[in-house]
Amino acid sequence: MKEDKLELVQGHEHDIQSSKWTSFIDHTSQEFFMVGRYFIIGALFASVFQVFMDRSVMADIGQAPIKGTALMMGIAFVLSLCSSADAFVAASFSHSFLPGSILGFLVFGPMLDLKNVLIMMSCFKRSFVVTYFPAYFRSRLQPLPDCRRIDQ
């Protein structure tokens, strides 16, 4: 009698264990397909950008401090990446843009992007958002001070 209860409990534990694995695999596959579509859309944008954007134009803009920073901040605004993924995107631009432009991308994107503006529009008055957005954009466009060490 005692052995029957033990087998029943062990069988029940086995069922719980298999349902946990089934739930894990189900959740993982749903997450993969949900995120996968954004990955495909991002790959589409990146490939279109690489194919149709002239590299000499990109190099010229990337070497101009203000234009390059403005462009990188615009890309950060439109892409609306999370702060853990934007470093990988910024690294792909490191060969074409100055470090200040890359920093503008990294700082501006998590603070203000398309989805944040839409959320702010639903929570705040339109006049605040219309004032906040250009003020923040302009504050990020200020050139960084020359922080090189001066040897005497």
Side-chain angles (χ1 to χ4, degrees):
M1 182 97 161
K2 210 173 193 183
E3 293 174 6
D4 292 338
K5 288 183 182 178
L6 184 60
E7 288 177 18
L8 179 64
V9 171
Q10 287 177 346
H12 181 68
E13 287 176 4
H14 179 69
D15 291 339
I16 291 172
Q17 204 62 318
S18 68
S19 68
K20 283 183 180 179
W21 278 107
T22 305
S23 176
F24 170 76
I25 291 171
D26 183 47
H27 179 73
T28 303
S29 64
Q30 287 177 3
E31 194 76 20
F32 174 75
F33 286 112
M34 185 179 75
V35 172
R37 70 179 123 197
Y38 298 111
F39 179 74
I40 292 170
I41 291 169
L44 172 72
F45 284 138
S47 62
V48 167
F49 190 73
Q50 290 287 334
V51 169
F52 294 111
M53 186 68 169
D54 187 17
R55 298 227 186 248
S56 63
V57 171
M58 181 70 95
D60 292 340
I61 293 173
Q63 297 306 311
I66 300 296
K67 287 180 184 178
T69 304
L71 178 63
M72 288 301 288
M73 289 168 60
I75 291 171
F77 179 80
V78 172
L79 290 180
S80 301
L81 296 171
C82 69
S83 58
S84 60
D86 63 355
F88 297 105
V89 174
S92 69
F93 288 109
S94 64
H95 65 281
S96 301
F97 288 87
L98 297 172
S101 300
I102 302 295
L103 186 62
F105 178 85
L106 293 171
V107 171
F108 187 79
M111 288 296 294
L112 191 62
D113 57 18
L114 187 58
K115 66 181 178 227
N116 286 342
V117 169
L118 295 175
I119 290 170
M120 283 197 282
M121 295 282 262
S122 69
C123 296
F124 300 112
K125 292 181 180 179
R126 184 177 293 257
S127 61
F128 171 76
V129 176
V130 168
T131 304
Y132 174 76
F133 176 69
Y136 184 75
F137 185 77
R138 184 170 174 210
S139 72
R140 298 300 104 194
L141 269 181
Q142 298 298 322
L144 294 173
D146 189 9
C147 297
R148 289 180 284 188
R149 184 176 175 192
I150 300 173
D151 294 326
Q152 295 182 12

